[in-house]
Amino acid sequence: MDDLIVRILWSALIIGAGIGTFVLVNRAILRRTEDLSRHLPGWQPGRAVILYFTTPECAPCRTVQRPALQRVQSEWGDRLQVIEVDATRRADLAKRWGVLSVPTTFLLDASGKPRFVNHGVTRAEQLIEQLRRLAD
């Protein structure tokens, strides 16, 4: 029984360390990208922005992420700007933003400050919730 408790504690410690590392890395990425919005192609201050990194070969980007972004865009209309960046053509931009995989989405507030980063496919509901938190 003692061996089981030790294993559970070690598992909890490893999981906690992984979650903590993930949170710290995301915060570091957001801090590092604070002043990069003015270099985005087509960025217009005064509106929330979803910056979406993709590639032509990314199947989840085409089949899941893009439809989710279209849904969010239709719901938010002119209050939202979606900027799509091909990470293969703009590798310099992807590198500056710390993109390691696609799809990756950043949510920027109306002043251009990155507030959320999502690695991998992000559902429309989560993006909408993040946008609501930006508006508060």
Side-chain angles (χ1 to χ4, degrees), residues 70-128:
Q70 290 169 343
R71 178 177 159 212
V72 173
Q73 178 73 63
S74 69
E75 195 170 308
W76 279 70
D78 291 341
R79 298 177 293 162
L80 175 67
Q81 180 181 10
V82 177
I83 299 174
E84 185 172 321
V85 176
D86 181 339
T88 55
R89 289 189 178 177
R90 295 297 313 267
D92 60 320
L93 199 57
K95 183 177 179 181
R96 271 190 266 156
W97 281 83
V99 174
L100 301 175
S101 64
V102 291
T104 295
T105 53
F106 288 87
L107 280 81
L108 289 68
D109 62 19
S111 68
K113 180 180 178 185
R115 301 272 305 276
F116 298 99
V117 59
N118 302 297
H119 307 281
V121 172
T122 308
R123 295 179 11 253
E125 294 80 14
Q126 181 176 345
L127 292 169
I128 290 169

Side-chain angles (χ1 to χ4, degrees), residues 16-76:
I19 291 170
T21 301
F22 179 78
V23 168
L24 289 174
V25 167
N26 278 349
R27 285 184 183 169
I29 289 171
L30 291 174
R31 218 177 6 258
R32 196 183 94 180
T33 58
E34 275 186 7
D35 297 327
L36 294 179
S37 61
R38 64 180 176 271
H39 302 291
L40 290 175
W43 177 63
Q44 300 169 355
R47 296 194 285 172
V49 175
I50 296 179
L51 176 59
Y52 166 50
F53 286 93
T54 184
T55 63
E57 299 82 25
C58 176
C61 298
R62 288 190 312 273
T63 59
V64 183
Q65 191 64 72
R66 191 168 288 133
L69 289 169
Q70 290 169 343
R71 178 177 159 212
V72 173
Q73 178 73 63
S74 69
E75 195 170 308
W76 279 70

